[in-house]
Amino acid sequence: QSALTQPASVSGSPGQSITISCTGTSGDLVNYNYVSWYQQHPGKAPKLMIYDVTSRPSGVSNRFSGSTSGNTASLTISGLQAEDEADYYCHSSTRGSTLYVFGTGTTVIVL
Amino acid sequence: EVQLVESGGGLVQPGGSLRLSCSASGFTFNTYPMHWVRQASGKGLEYVAGITSDGGDTHYTDSVKGRFTIFRDNSKNTLYLQMSSLRPEDTSFYYCVKDMWERRELGTPYWWGQGTLVTVSS
């Protein structure tokens, strides 16, 4: 069972901004300085979009940005485009027995 | 260009074994940690295992500890996942993933292969 909870779906119209949350539990062992985010289109392998909370790999649009506050990490997509419709997963390391954990996943729907 | 090509997936009976391979090219394999991540059909991502660049340290998710072994052959640029005592709940696509950082220790899973399907069923 994932230690990171995401909303099942988030929707928005083209051009709008949306935010996806990734929430742990108070006192959990997640390392919130290490959150990354992945985008996955249907039938495709995931793609890294954000690492170390706020950094973007080369080639990723600056419309994607990340942040954290307490035990919640967030991914914001600005200027929403049709191609952003995909599943998004947060990911982090933990100080528990399992080194890494993924969030439950969020489907972004572009209206 | 980085390429990761997984192979070895297939249908196996519960309790059986299978070895997955991941052939890597386009980067200096022996300087990057590597990971295996799986995804059941229609479900989310689950971290399975990771290995340091020199193969000296490994990490596993709790559900596969004692049943799966990750290892690598740096002379062949190949990553492996030996799976035994397989269960129906191990049925998933298994992805080979290159780490982001050129160093010994595990870091951020970065570049993903296309995956290989493992089906555990009688």
Side-chain angles (χ1 to χ4, degrees), chain A residues 9-27:
Chain A
S9 64
V10 174
S11 60
S13 299
Q16 287 186 331
S17 293
I18 61 169
T19 296
I20 303 168
S21 61
C22 169
T23 303
T25 57
S26 178

Side-chain angles (χ1 to χ4, degrees), chain B residues 5-12 16-23 36 67-73 76 78-86 94 116-120:
Chain B
V5 180
E6 301 95 336
S7 61
L11 175 63
V12 61
S17 298
L18 209 58
R19 177 181 290 185
L20 305 184
S21 300
C22 171
S23 178
W36 287 100
R67 300 188 301 121
F68 290 12
T69 301
I70 184 174
F71 62 102
R72 62 194 297 164
D73 186 337
K76 295 182 178 179
T78 303
L79 176 72
Y80 301 95
L81 185 68
Q82 178 68 45
M83 304 183 294
S84 61
S85 301
L86 282 161
Y94 284 75
T116 186
L117 179 62
V118 172
T119 303
V120 184

Side-chain angles (χ1 to χ4, degrees), chain A residues 9-59:
Chain A
S9 64
V10 174
S11 60
S13 299
Q16 287 186 331
S17 293
I18 61 169
T19 296
I20 303 168
S21 61
C22 169
T23 303
T25 57
S26 178
D28 65 26
L29 301 177
V30 174
N31 180 356
Y32 290 97
N33 295 318
Y34 178 72
V35 175
S36 53
W37 290 89
Y38 297 86
Q39 175 193 64
Q40 185 180 32
H41 287 106
K44 301 294 186 181
K47 174 186 177 183
L48 180 67
M49 305 300 284
I50 296 287
Y51 66 96
D52 292 351
V53 182
T54 60
S55 299
R56 283 185 305 276
S58 174

Side-chain angles (χ1 to χ4, degrees), chain A residues 60-92:
Chain A
V60 172
S61 170
N62 60 8
R63 297 186 298 104
F64 292 84
S65 61
S67 63
T68 61
S69 178
N71 65 335
T72 296
S74 299
L75 173 71
T76 297
I77 308 175
S78 304
L80 198 63
Q81 299 179 1
E83 67 204 48
D84 300 331
E85 189 162 285
D87 292 330
Y88 292 83
Y89 295 91
C90 61
H91 167 269
S92 187

Side-chain angles (χ1 to χ4, degrees), chain B residues 7-81:
Chain B
S7 61
L11 175 63
V12 61
Q13 291 189 337
S17 298
L18 209 58
R19 177 181 290 185
L20 305 184
S21 300
C22 171
S23 178
S25 60
F27 65 102
T28 307
F29 182 72
N30 64 6
T31 62
Y32 285 87
M34 297 292 294
H35 311 265
W36 287 100
V37 177
R38 67 185 180 184
Q39 185 174 35
S41 179
K43 303 296 184 183
L45 301 173
E46 181 183 22
Y47 189 83
V48 176
I51 187 168
T52 53
S53 58
D54 63 358
D57 284 318
T58 57
H59 295 272
Y60 300 91
T61 193
D62 287 345
S63 62
V64 308
K65 284 179 182 175
R67 300 188 301 121
F68 290 12
T69 301
I70 184 174
F71 62 102
R72 62 194 297 164
D73 186 337
N74 285 344
S75 68
K76 295 182 178 179
N77 289 350
T78 303
L79 176 72
Y80 301 95
L81 185 68

